[in-house]
Amino acid sequence: MGEEEVKKAEAPGSSLEAEAPPATPVLSETSKDVAEEKAVIPPAPEEKTHDSKALAIVEKATDPPSTEKSSGSLDRDAVLARVATEKRMSLIRAWEESEKVKAENKAEKKLSSITAWENSKKAAIEADLKKIEEELEKKKAEYAEKMKNKIAVIHKEAEEKRAIVEAKKGEELLKADELAAKYRATGLSPKKFLPCFGGI
């Protein structure tokens, strides 16, 4: 029974040692240093007694130097764990920044390619529009020339018709003068009064 109590009494000290490694991160150099330091600390002397109170008093009397050493070891473990955690956090932050920069660069590259695509499409459409405008201007000039030619033809025809009318008018006036002179000479009166108005 005494051996069981001693094992139980040793268990808390060994549980501290057993719990310390999980607190440290998985780094090969720091864990080796911690393992070597723990190996240097001598275990507490075993005393077999049946009285658990006496055992506790004996442990308190013999443990203070080892507790200071183990507390120093625990402090070192804590510092190493904190350093390892900070190192891990800085690596995570660096990775995060790297991933963000990669994402931003990728997005910028895609956006610039989209902008280039848009500009090329706009340039192609503007070139087509300019070509169509040039064709329309050419057709407009051709149609304008045709219209001017048609207008000139119409004006020429109108002038010819005016000339025909003026010639006919001159002939009729000359005929009227000749008839009037004939009627005056013969003393006859015309059969129709104002034949030019009645003949229309």
Side-chain angles (χ1 to χ4, degrees):
M1 182 174 175
E3 291 176 3
E4 292 174 4
E5 289 177 359
V6 170
K7 288 179 182 176
K8 287 181 182 177
E10 288 177 7
S14 63
S15 67
L16 285 176
E17 291 175 5
E19 290 174 6
T24 60
V26 182
L27 293 172
S28 60
E29 293 178 2
T30 53
S31 61
K32 285 179 183 176
D33 291 340
V34 172
E36 288 174 4
E37 189 175 19
K38 288 182 182 179
V40 172
I41 300 171
E46 295 182 13
E47 294 182 11
K48 295 181 180 180
T49 57
H50 295 286
D51 189 13
S52 63
K53 290 180 184 178
L55 179 64
I57 292 170
V58 171
E59 285 180 356
K60 285 182 183 177
T62 57
D63 278 345
S66 64
T67 332
E68 289 175 5
K69 289 181 182 177
S70 66
S71 68
S73 174
L74 289 176
D75 289 343
R76 182 175 173 171
D77 289 346
V79 168
L80 289 174
R82 189 173 68 236
V83 167
T85 304
E86 288 175 1
K87 185 177 179 181
R88 187 173 64 244
M89 288 300 157
S90 68
L91 288 173
I92 290 170
R93 278 193 297 273
W95 175 84
E96 180 184 12
E97 289 297 319
S98 172
E99 290 299 313
K100 285 181 179 179
V101 167
K102 282 180 189 176
E104 287 177 4
N105 289 341
K106 188 176 180 182
E108 284 296 323
K109 188 176 179 182
K110 286 186 178 181
L111 289 174
S112 65
S113 68
I114 289 169
T115 303
W117 173 81
E118 180 186 16
N119 291 338
S120 67
K121 291 295 182 182
K122 281 182 179 179
I125 289 172
E126 287 174 0
D128 289 343
L129 180 63
K130 190 172 183 181
K131 186 178 178 182
I132 290 169
E133 285 176 351
E134 288 173 357
E135 289 175 1
L136 288 175
E137 286 294 324
K138 188 177 178 182
K139 285 182 180 180
K140 183 180 176 183
E142 289 174 2
Y143 282 125
E145 187 67 28
K146 285 180 181 178
M147 293 304 116
K148 285 179 182 177
N149 291 341
K150 283 185 179 181
I151 289 171
V153 167
I154 290 169
H155 182 68
K156 185 179 177 184
E157 288 177 4
E159 287 296 322
E160 288 174 357
K161 288 182 179 181
R162 282 191 194 99
I164 291 170
V165 169
E166 289 293 329
K168 202 169 192 181
K169 175 184 163 187
E171 287 176 5
E172 288 180 358
L173 287 177
L174 186 60
K175 187 178 179 181
D177 285 340
E178 289 175 359
L179 285 175
K182 182 180 175 185
Y183 287 134
R184 282 190 198 106
T186 58
L188 296 171
S189 61
K191 295 178 182 178
K192 293 181 181 177
F193 184 69
L194 299 173
C196 61
F197 293 115
I200 297 175

